[in-house]
Amino acid sequence: MTMVLINRRSLLAAAGGLVVTAASGLRVPARAKGLAPTPSMRGGANNYRPGAPVVERIGGGGFWMSGTVRRAGDGAPLPGQRIQIWAHTTEGSERDARSHGATLTDANGAFRLEMPQIVPAFGQPHGHLAYDSGQFETVFLRPVMPSAGDRALEAHFVLQPV
Amino acid sequence: MPSNQGRRFRAGLAWAVLALAMLVPVAAATLSPLLAWRGPIYILAGFAGVVAMSLLLVQPLLAAGVLPGLEGRRGRRLHRWVGGSIVTLVVLHVAALWVTSPPDVIDVLLFTSPTPFSVWGVTAMWALFLVAALALIRRKVWAWHVIHRGLAIVVVVGSVIHAVLIVGTMEPVTKAILCLMVVAATLAVTGLVRIRARRRPVR
């Protein structure tokens, strides 16, 4: 009996393996480029009021909005970045000025702002966040709370330098 | 018991069940805690939607003439009036939501909203407008009935998915029961009631 070392099946398998290797090889440089910037979310900019003031807390508080801000590429935390936050809460609608406020990221690029409880509006319990200070590309986020009873919500920014 | 009394009892029961099915979800929505944090126009927008949803239940029953006391022409006549009311309520629903938050409604109408339920709502709305426009033409041939029923199913399925996916003023259990009844009534009538209009002769 002769041993067939190269038949159609093994050839196809080898070719397939080669394609996979080549494709993953192509992907490696993309990974080396690092952290991709966060794209703006649909509807994120709705009812945005530019220039919300930096505040200790929005209204009476009781709900926490938190997150991080990092630089695209190397993922370095970005301190001192201004994040604007607004939502439909127990104290006002998204369009009310009193529902808007801003906070700055700390040395670790983290932010945390107390605000009134977010309540479902337009069908979903959600918040809005904006980075719009010019040094990086503008990003609008619209995170949705997994449950309307949640007392906190997170949103994370990866910003692309202009 | 096919007695007169029995018939009257069953008629009363049918109307009682229908009234409960239509009114309880609306009443439950008036107890929603969300109302405390909404302005009057936003509340109006919500209830226009809730009442329209509830009216969708009676629509196929009127068309089929199965409601005691509203058989035949009387049922169909009321079917048109209720249809017109649903169109009015949907216009009010969208207009009042627009006043409450214009950018959100613009996103919805342009199909760029982040909320999946809005696509179902807008689809149902356009199917409703189309069905109403065709009803005004009133060329009641066989094809008209087929198209009318097809669009009615789009309106109902779109509205039900729209309502179920929304976290809003409707109480979830009464909302689910109403939605199930609307779907069941629509499918039963569109699927079981024969179209009596004659088919056009094939050339």
Side-chain angles (χ1 to χ4, degrees):
Chain A
M1 271 178 76
T2 49
M3 289 267 288
V4 181
L5 285 175
I6 301 174
N7 58 18
R8 199 160 76 151
R9 186 174 296 171
S10 67
L11 199 69
L12 276 172
L18 217 76
V19 168
V20 170
T21 313
S24 60
L26 282 173
R27 290 177 66 90
V28 169
R31 278 185 67 189
K33 249 170 82 185
L35 206 56
T38 312
S40 280
M41 292 178 176
R42 275 182 173 192
N46 288 359
N47 296 319
Y48 175 52
R49 299 173 69 103
V54 172
V55 289
E56 276 288 299
R57 82 162 86 79
I58 303 173
F63 182 96
W64 287 95
M65 181 73 88
S66 63
T68 56
V69 182
R70 289 182 292 163
R71 183 165 57 202
D74 62 4
L78 295 170
Q81 297 301 325
R82 184 159 156 273
I83 298 298
Q84 301 176 56
I85 297 165
W86 69 102
H88 187 113
T89 71
T90 52
E91 293 179 19
S93 81
E94 280 179 12
R95 298 178 82 190
D96 299 333
R98 66 173 181 279
S99 300
H100 294 241
T103 189
L104 300 174
T105 55
D106 64 15
N108 301 316
F111 67 89
R112 192 169 137 81
L113 183 63
E114 197 179 5
M115 59 190 289
Q117 176 70 39
I118 292 180
V119 289
F122 277 73
Q124 287 179 329
H126 66 279
H128 292 268
L129 300 95
Y131 168 84
D132 187 21
S133 302
Q135 193 185 346
F136 299 89
E137 299 283 358
T138 296
V139 175
F140 288 101
L141 300 183
R142 184 189 177 280
V144 176
M145 284 148 66
S147 160
D150 291 353
R151 310 294 299 274
L153 183 58
E154 278 184 30
H156 301 278
F157 290 81
V158 177
L159 300 177
Q160 179 75 49
V162 171
Chain B
M1 52 177 181
S3 67
N4 204 19
Q5 219 179 354
R7 215 177 300 143
R8 217 182 284 172
F9 174 74
R10 271 183 310 193
L13 191 68
W15 275 107
V17 169
L18 180 64
L20 279 179
M22 290 177 70
L23 294 177
V24 171
V26 181
T30 64
L31 302 174
S32 169
L34 295 183
L35 296 174
W37 308 304
R38 294 185 177 189
I41 293 174
Y42 190 10
I43 290 173
L44 179 77
F47 276 95
V50 176
V51 174
M53 189 73 222
S54 150
L55 286 179
L56 280 184
L57 178 56
V58 80
Q59 252 333 47
L61 306 176
L62 288 172
V66 294
L67 290 174
L70 290 174
E71 294 91 353
R73 273 180 96 170
R74 291 171 75 184
R76 289 198 297 275
R77 204 178 136 82
L78 197 57
H79 178 80
R80 283 179 214 124
W81 279 99
V82 173
S85 308
I86 294 173
V87 170
T88 309
L89 286 167
V90 168
V91 170
L92 189 64
H93 179 65
V94 175
L97 286 176
W98 184 301
V99 171
T100 305
S101 180
D104 284 315
V105 177
I106 291 166
D107 282 353
V108 167
L109 295 177
L110 297 177
F111 288 101
T112 56
S113 169
T115 53
F117 54 80
S118 58
V119 176
W120 294 99
V122 175
T123 305
M125 180 190 79
W126 285 115
L128 175 74
F129 290 168
L130 202 56
V131 92
L134 286 176
L136 290 175
I137 296 169
R138 275 192 204 164
R139 278 185 61 212
K140 305 287 175 69
V141 292
W142 190 81
W144 184 95
H145 286 277
V146 173
I147 293 167
H148 188 82
R149 289 180 183 199
L151 286 172
I153 292 172
V154 175
V155 171
V156 163
V157 171
S159 303
V160 162
I161 298 176
H162 176 70
V164 167
L165 291 178
I166 283 178
V167 182
T169 53
M170 286 193 89
E171 185 280 324
V173 175
T174 54
K175 175 164 73 176
I177 293 171
L178 174 64
C179 286
L180 280 175
M181 290 181 83
V182 169
V183 169
T186 306
L187 293 183
V189 169
T190 54
L192 299 177
V193 177
R194 208 168 60 86
I195 295 172
R196 276 179 297 181
R198 253 192 274 166
R199 271 183 207 247
R200 284 242 180 103
V202 183
R203 270 179 225 182

